[in-house]
């Protein structure tokens, strides 16, 4: 018979999570969180995962929630264990991912008296958390605790972000009972109020009077309705749609590979291509060039569409439509008319010209990170999930046309390298198809505990591009002007082979383009274990090739 904690606070937390349809809980071992561990593990509606390293556990949970688009919980013991969650919490905060952090704590009378495994846990994440629920260890305050739990879980669900539930447990911790309290299920449906037509008409009039309109799309979860709506908007020749690799929308008349397209444009072209209206949607933008461009050549009007927030990225934000893009476009289309213009045509001519230059350069490109990316992206099968690590990896990906069937993700909330592998593994657990993770060496070795994980699917694939250091620091001008480049680039001389042996992952490597293409030919096929392909590239040449590439686009 299943066993549940006798502790009332643990009972309330577990029952509340179940009532809010929270179905996945990632647990890191500890004693103070024993009542939660026992209860979640034995609950028939909740799937649990055991991951020792709390930083990896939080990013693994982030990957689960990223794919589910629903809250996922992480549970830890008291003390410094909790603080290891912070990188993933900040990523969830800026990427709008519903992460529920549940921490066991000592009772208040044991804090700051010299007891072991105690830190000041209450409100410790308040700068990057939507809500902190500090429960009270008092059986007479059941209603107050239930209200705190209900509010925290509603915020995570409806506002899409991290919340922290801190629970003081006094001993004994391992007393058990046969039954768990039950709470009424909570309706998790999120309704939206449409925009007032009179308000929207004002902006539609501006739209209809403008002959240069740009739609810029950042990180975005794949959505069929949004794709259909954007297919419609591009029919207007006064509209150009710029997309990022992580936007997950595709059209032959969209401008992807933004940096490739705009890097060589001179100032006269910039002025001519400046939009009158900039409509933005989605999350963070990778392209530094488009940020620089729109900050210098600001549109007359900048509107952002998002249920939750609007960043003034280009210092000219005029209007935040606080609804989903899907609802916005479903209303907006009825108020807009096509406008005769050569604006879209001008952008597409530049796009075509850059594509020709791109192909010509790659045809004679030396073996390098850039050439490796061409082969890797060409090799990836259709209809899979592609996870990218940060820094150089996602920026290289932005230079290539992506297979429209791919679903592409990257931790762009804070753009850190710290949990890319753990996130990709968490996402692969939910993904029904194959997940391919492309990463750089610094990111991979930094998060190598991500492989200390018994849940990695057999179909999971890692392509590790090892240029022996943080190659991006050779590309950006600042570090090379100092005498401390090795402290930026961090050469290490490591290989992933021993890690793969330890974690039972099939390992292969490539040192030339021919070896790479041979390895890739069978890399995605079925296997009994996950696979990692380590591709060694010339550290001293990669930055030179990339600079030559951008020069060739002019």
């Amino acid at each position: 018979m299943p066993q549940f904690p006798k502790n009332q606070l643990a009972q309330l937390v577990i029952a509340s999570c179940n009532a809010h349809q929270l179905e996945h809980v990632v647990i890191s071992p500890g004693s103070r969180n024993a009542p939660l561990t026992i209860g979640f593990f034995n609950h028939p509606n909740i799937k649990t995962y055991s991951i020792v390293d709390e930083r990896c556990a939080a990013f693994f949970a982030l990957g689960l929630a990223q794919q589910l688009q629903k809250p996922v919980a992480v549970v830890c013991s008291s003390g410094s264990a909790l603080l290891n969650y912070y990188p993933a919490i900040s990523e969830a905060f800026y990427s709008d991912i519903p992460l529920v952090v549940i921490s066991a704590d000592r009772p208040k009378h044991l804090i700051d008296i010299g007891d072991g495994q105690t830190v000041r846990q209450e409100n410790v994440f308040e700068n990057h958390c939507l809500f902190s629920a500090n429960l009270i260890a008092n059986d007479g305050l059941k209603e107050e605790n239930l209200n705190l739990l209900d509010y925290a879980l509603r915020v995570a669900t409806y506002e899409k972000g991290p919340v922290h539930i801190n629970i003081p447990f006094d001993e004994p911790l391992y007393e058990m009972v046969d039954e768990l309290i039950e709470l009424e299920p909570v309706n998790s449906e999120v309704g939206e109020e449409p925009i007032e037509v009179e308000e929207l008409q004002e902006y539609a009039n501006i739209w209809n009077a403008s002959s240069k309109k740009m739609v810029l799309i950042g990180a975005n979860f794949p959505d069929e309705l949004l794709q259909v709506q954007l297919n419609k908007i591009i029919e207007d020749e006064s509209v150009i749609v710029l997309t990022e690799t992580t936007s997950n929308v595709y059209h032959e008349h969209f401008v992807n590979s933004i940096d490739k397209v705009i890097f060589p444009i001179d100032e006269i072209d910039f002025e001519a291509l400046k939009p009158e209206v900039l409509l933005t949607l989605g999350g963070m933008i990778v392209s530094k060039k488009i940020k620089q461009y729109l900050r210098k050549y600001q549109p007359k009007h900048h509107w952002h569409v998002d249920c939750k927030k609007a960043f003034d990225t280009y210092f000219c934000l005029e209007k935040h439509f606080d609804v989903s893009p899907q609802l916005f476009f479903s209303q907006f289309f009825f108020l807009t008319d096509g406008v005769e213009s050569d604006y879209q045509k001008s952008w597409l001519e530049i796009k075509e010209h850059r594509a020709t230059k791109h192909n010509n350069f790659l045809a004679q490109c030396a073996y390098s990170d850039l050439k490796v990316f061409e082969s890797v992206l060409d090799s990836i099968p259709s209809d899979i999930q592609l996870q990218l690590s940060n820094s150089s990896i996602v920026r290289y990906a932005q230079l290539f046309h992506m297979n429209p069937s791919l679903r592409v993700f990257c931790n762009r909330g804070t753009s850190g390298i710290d949990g890319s592998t753990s996130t990709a593994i968490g996402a692969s657990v939910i993904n029904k198809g194959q997940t391919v993770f492309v990463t750089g060496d610094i990111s991979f070795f930094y998060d190598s505990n991500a492989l200390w994980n018994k849940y990695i699917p057999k179909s999971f694939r890692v392509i590790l591009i090892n240029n022996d250091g943080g190659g991006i620091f050779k590309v950006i001008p600042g570090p090379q002007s100092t005498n401390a480049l090795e402290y930026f680039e961090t050469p290490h001389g490591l290989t992933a082979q021993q890690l793969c042996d330890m974690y039972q992952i099939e390992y292969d490597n490539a040192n030339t383009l021919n070896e790479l293409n041979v390895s890739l030919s069978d890399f995605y096929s079925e296997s009994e274990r996950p696979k990692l392909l380590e591709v060694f590239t010339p550290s001293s040449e990669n930055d030179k090739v990339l600079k030559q590439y951008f020069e060739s686009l002019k």
Side-chain angles (χ1 to χ4, degrees):
M1 177 178 290
Q3 295 178 314
F4 298 101
K6 183 178 180 180
N7 183 283
Q8 186 188 60
L9 275 181
Q11 286 250 343
L12 293 180
V13 171
I14 296 161
S16 295
C17 287
N18 181 56
H20 283 264
Q21 292 90 51
L22 192 152
E23 298 173 341
H24 297 263
V25 177
V26 182
I27 301 169
S28 291
S31 187
R32 189 62 51 169
N33 59 335
L36 298 170
T37 300
I38 295 164
F40 280 125
F41 173 74
N42 283 289
H43 201 289
N45 298 337
I46 294 175
K47 181 172 178 56
T48 53
Y49 310 82
S50 176
I51 296 181
V52 174
D53 185 319
E54 284 88 3
R55 190 184 71 192
C56 294
F59 276 108
F60 178 88
L62 187 89
L64 297 176
Q66 176 200 83
Q67 294 301 304
L68 291 166
Q69 297 286 284
K70 293 169 57 178
V72 170
V74 284
V75 175
C76 71
S77 188
S78 63
S80 61
L82 174 63
L83 305 182
N84 289 289
Y85 285 160
Y86 214 143
I89 289 168
S90 62
E91 177 64 35
F93 181 78
Y94 287 107
S95 288
D96 301 328
I97 295 178
L99 187 67
V100 178
V101 176
I102 304 176
S103 57
D105 198 359
R106 260 46 174 192
K108 280 192 174 183
H109 68 274
L110 295 179
I111 306 298
D112 287 340
I113 66 163
D115 221 27
Q117 285 189 280
T118 59
V119 299
R120 299 173 186 176
Q121 294 184 198
E122 291 189 1
N123 307 317
V124 71
F125 305 121
E126 62 181 344
N127 282 342
H128 296 93
C129 217
L130 299 182
F131 182 69
S132 297
N134 299 302
L135 303 191
I136 307 164
N138 186 324
D139 289 350
L141 296 176
K142 176 179 177 181
E143 202 63 34
E144 286 86 340
N145 283 326
L146 277 174
N147 289 339
L148 283 170
L149 286 165
D150 181 69
Y151 186 76
L153 293 166
R154 286 180 186 273
V155 167
T157 302
Y158 302 146
E159 297 187 27
K160 301 293 183 185
V163 298
H164 177 206
I165 300 169
N166 193 60
I167 314 161
F169 288 132
D170 212 341
E171 296 182 6
L173 301 170
Y174 294 90
E175 289 187 323
M176 287 173 280
V177 294
D178 293 335
E179 294 183 353
L180 180 72
I181 64 171
E182 292 187 17
L183 300 174
E184 287 294 318
V186 176
N187 182 7
S188 60
E189 293 295 320
V190 180
E192 281 194 274
E193 292 292 329
I195 305 167
E196 292 291 335
V197 175
E198 294 78 8
E199 177 190 2
L200 199 55
Q201 184 67 62
E202 174 187 347
Y203 295 94
N205 292 341
I206 296 172
W207 181 271
N208 292 334
S210 303
S211 60
K212 297 178 180 179
K213 293 167 296 228
M214 178 184 290
V215 179
L216 175 59
I217 309 173
N220 178 70
F221 193 81
D223 185 272
E224 290 184 12
L225 175 57
L226 181 61
Q227 179 69 64
V228 170
Q229 291 171 327
L230 292 168
N231 291 348
K232 174 67 177 175
I233 205 170
I234 201 66
E235 294 176 4
D236 184 344
E237 60 189 29
S238 68
V239 176
I240 188 65
V241 177
L242 273 60
T243 66
E244 296 237 303
T245 297
T246 53
S247 68
N248 288 300
V249 289
Y250 303 92
H251 193 283
E252 61 180 344
H253 290 159
F254 292 175
V255 173
N256 52 8
S257 308
I258 298 173
D259 283 351
K260 178 174 71 181
V261 171
I262 71 172
F263 179 83
I265 299 177
D266 61 31
E267 293 210 4
I268 296 174
D269 288 327
F270 267 142
E271 188 64 48
L273 293 171
K274 180 177 74 173
E276 297 166 284
V277 176
L278 171 66
L279 179 64
T280 56
L281 52 133
M284 299 294 191
I285 296 292
V286 175
S287 172
K288 191 172 182 179
K289 295 297 180 184
I290 196 65
K291 291 177 188 175
Q292 292 171 335
Y293 167 41
L294 291 171
R295 286 169 182 172
K296 185 175 181 180
Y297 299 91
Q298 293 180 338
K300 294 179 183 177
H301 309 279
H302 174 204
W303 312 329
H304 187 74
V305 183
D306 186 86
C307 295
K308 184 176 174 183
K309 61 192 175 189
F311 291 124
D312 191 9
T313 304
Y314 314 104
F315 311 136
C316 56
L317 182 65
E318 177 183 88
K319 176 64 178 177
H320 174 205
F321 293 102
D322 55 352
V323 296
S324 67
Q326 294 86 340
L327 177 56
F328 172 81
F329 284 125
S330 69
Q331 293 186 263
F332 197 57
F333 282 144
F334 290 105
L335 306 176
T336 59
D337 301 310
V339 177
E340 188 174 330
S341 170
D342 63 356
Y343 188 60
Q344 182 185 124
K345 180 183 176 184
S346 298
W347 274 100
L348 294 180
E349 286 175 350
I350 296 170
K351 173 187 173 182
E352 184 176 355
H353 178 67
R354 298 286 182 264
T356 300
K357 294 277 190 177
H358 170 93
N359 292 334
N360 290 342
F361 184 86
L362 266 296
Q364 51 80 44
C365 179
Y367 182 71
S368 59
D369 283 350
L370 184 67
K371 189 64 178 177
V372 164
F373 253 90
E374 180 187 39
S375 291
V376 167
L377 292 179
D378 282 348
S379 75
I380 294 175
S382 295
D383 300 312
I384 63 96
Q385 178 187 121
L386 175 62
Q387 292 275 341
L388 300 171
S389 72
N390 268 303
S391 199
S392 294
I393 296 297
V394 70
R395 296 185 187 280
Y396 271 114
Q398 294 261 113
L399 300 176
F400 293 85
H401 175 71
M402 200 65 65
N403 180 338
S405 72
L406 303 183
R407 302 162 76 246
V408 187
F409 299 91
C410 180
N411 285 349
R412 290 306 298 178
T414 57
S415 307
I417 66 168
D418 35 7
S420 296
T421 310
S422 295
T423 302
I425 292 171
S428 74
V429 170
I430 298 300
N431 181 33
K432 293 180 181 179
Q434 187 171 61
T435 296
V436 175
F437 174 51
V438 182
T439 183
D441 49 306
I442 298 297
S443 177
F444 176 79
F445 291 121
Y446 193 95
D447 192 26
S448 61
N449 266 2
L451 304 180
W452 188 9
N453 182 317
K454 64 182 180 181
Y455 309 104
I456 305 175
K458 293 187 294 185
S459 62
F460 187 66
R461 300 291 181 266
V462 180
I463 298 175
L464 166 57
I465 300 176
N466 189 340
N467 56 27
D468 193 29
I472 196 168
F473 292 106
K474 281 189 175 179
V475 176
I476 59 179
Q480 293 199 78
S481 66
T482 76
N483 64 354
L485 182 59
E486 66 178 290
Y487 287 90
F488 294 97
E489 190 187 3
T490 58
H492 49 78
L494 297 176
T495 171
Q497 183 168 6
Q498 288 77 21
L499 283 170
C500 289
D501 289 344
M502 181 165 67
Y503 292 116
Q504 296 296 296
I505 295 171
E506 286 189 25
Y507 175 83
D508 193 8
N509 67 75
N511 291 272
T512 67
L513 189 62
N514 183 60
E515 289 178 5
L516 172 62
N517 290 330
V518 169
S519 294
L520 287 171
S521 64
D522 190 47
F523 182 65
Y524 307 102
S525 61
E526 291 186 10
S527 61
E528 290 304 309
R529 295 185 292 167
K531 295 181 183 180
L532 183 146
L533 171 59
E534 187 168 21
V535 187
F536 296 97
T537 63
S539 176
S540 61
E541 299 299 318
N542 289 321
D543 60 312
K544 298 174 185 176
V545 170
L546 188 61
K547 290 171 184 175
Q548 292 167 3
Y549 167 77
F550 280 116
E551 283 296 315
S552 77
L553 295 176
K554 294 180 178 178

